[in-house]
Amino acid sequence: MFGDRFSALGLNLDWVERIGAILISPEYRLAPEFQDPYAREDMYASLEWTAENAERLGVDLDRLIVAGASAGGGLAAGMALAARDRGGPKLRGQLLIYPMLDDRGITASTNQFDGIGVWDRVSNETGWQAMLGDDYRTEAVLPYIAPSRAHDLSDLPPAYIDVGSAEIFRDEAVAYASALWNDGSEAELHVWPGGFHAFDIFAAHTHLAQGMISTRMAWIEKVLAD
């Protein structure tokens, strides 16, 4: 519903400066004017474009990852699913930062953070309704936009999942990591105690946020630079 390709870009520039990553930050059409499938298809088109133009961009196709935070984290997970199912670009990893994965609102943390926090239950319901319209909370919703609905998480690239313990997306992030493990995919899960939604952005000076950022960076270096 809001944001652009520059949102929180500062954190990601460290990847460029420290390990020489090539960072592509696309925009997607926003809800409610453009409901599903626009956002996820815009993002998948950007993935295919990157692969098709890899030589010109200097991108190593053996070291291609997708990454996103919050709604972008859900879109990144959806891209990984779509790339597998469509025989698309092969991914080396998926970085899911406090990802928005499930429109159904069925977790305990969804109800715990109601009327409190940066992103609460009402915000979440508003966002999903804007994106899904009449399909909201129906069986018509596809896992490419709500990845928690996927029944098969096998053969996916290794995932890194970051989430705070004091936020609405805590339980769906944990459940998604468990589902990845159960289906034989690799996942590294970090639940940061006391962390609220996007605390790495809003409280970047804190010890907790610095630990989140540095641990995430270590995974990126392992995946891209090793």
Side-chain angles (χ1 to χ4, degrees):
M1 295 180 69
F2 56 87
D4 57 33
R5 65 189 183 278
F6 301 111
S7 299
L9 192 59
L11 284 175
N12 303 333
L13 292 177
D14 286 345
W15 312 349
V16 178
E17 294 171 352
R18 286 182 55 175
I19 63 173
I22 295 169
L23 177 64
I24 297 173
S25 182
E27 290 192 17
Y28 55 87
R29 284 168 282 187
L30 301 176
E33 291 81 6
F34 296 95
Q35 295 181 335
D36 189 57
Y38 284 98
R40 59 182 170 88
E41 291 301 333
D42 286 349
M43 294 304 296
Y44 191 76
S46 72
L47 175 62
E48 287 194 318
W49 178 87
T50 300
E52 291 166 1
N53 292 275
E55 184 175 358
R56 180 169 66 88
L57 297 169
V59 169
D60 182 351
L61 283 176
D62 292 328
R63 298 173 186 269
L64 191 63
I65 72 169
V66 291
S70 196
L75 288 169
M79 277 197 289
L81 286 165
R84 179 199 65 183
D85 295 346
R86 300 178 185 182
K90 185 173 177 59
L91 299 175
R92 188 148 178 165
Q94 50 178 322
L95 175 60
L96 314 179
I97 305 168
Y98 31 81
M100 186 174 179
L101 299 167
D102 198 339
D103 67 294
R104 295 168 294 184
I106 56 177
T107 66
S109 58
T110 299
N111 294 313
Q112 284 178 329
F113 299 98
D114 189 353
I116 187 172
V118 172
W119 187 258
D120 72 344
R121 180 188 61 80
V122 173
S123 301
N124 205 47
E125 291 177 356
T126 301
W128 279 117
Q129 287 172 344
M131 175 60 75
L132 299 175
D134 292 339
D135 289 343
Y136 174 57
R137 290 186 177 176
T138 73
E139 293 306 307
V141 178
L142 296 178
Y144 308 116
I145 190 64
S148 289
R149 288 179 171 268
H151 297 297
D152 178 13
L153 296 180
S154 63
D155 299 318
L156 288 171
Y160 182 96
I161 303 176
D162 250 346
V163 72
S165 69
E167 70 156 293
I168 193 171
F169 295 138
R170 180 195 66 214
D171 293 343
E172 60 197 68
V174 172
Y176 199 68
S178 295
L180 285 164
W181 292 321
N182 290 342
D183 286 346
S185 294
E186 180 183 331
E188 180 175 333
L189 171 67
H190 293 270
V191 181
W192 297 94
F196 57 88
H197 188 64
F199 73 93
D200 57 332
I201 297 171
F202 293 112
H205 63 285
T206 63
H207 181 76
L208 190 68
Q210 289 300 308
M212 182 190 218
I213 294 166
S214 62
T215 306
R216 183 190 304 153
M217 187 69 204
W219 181 85
I220 294 167
E221 288 184 309
K222 177 183 71 174
V223 170
L224 293 184
D226 275 2

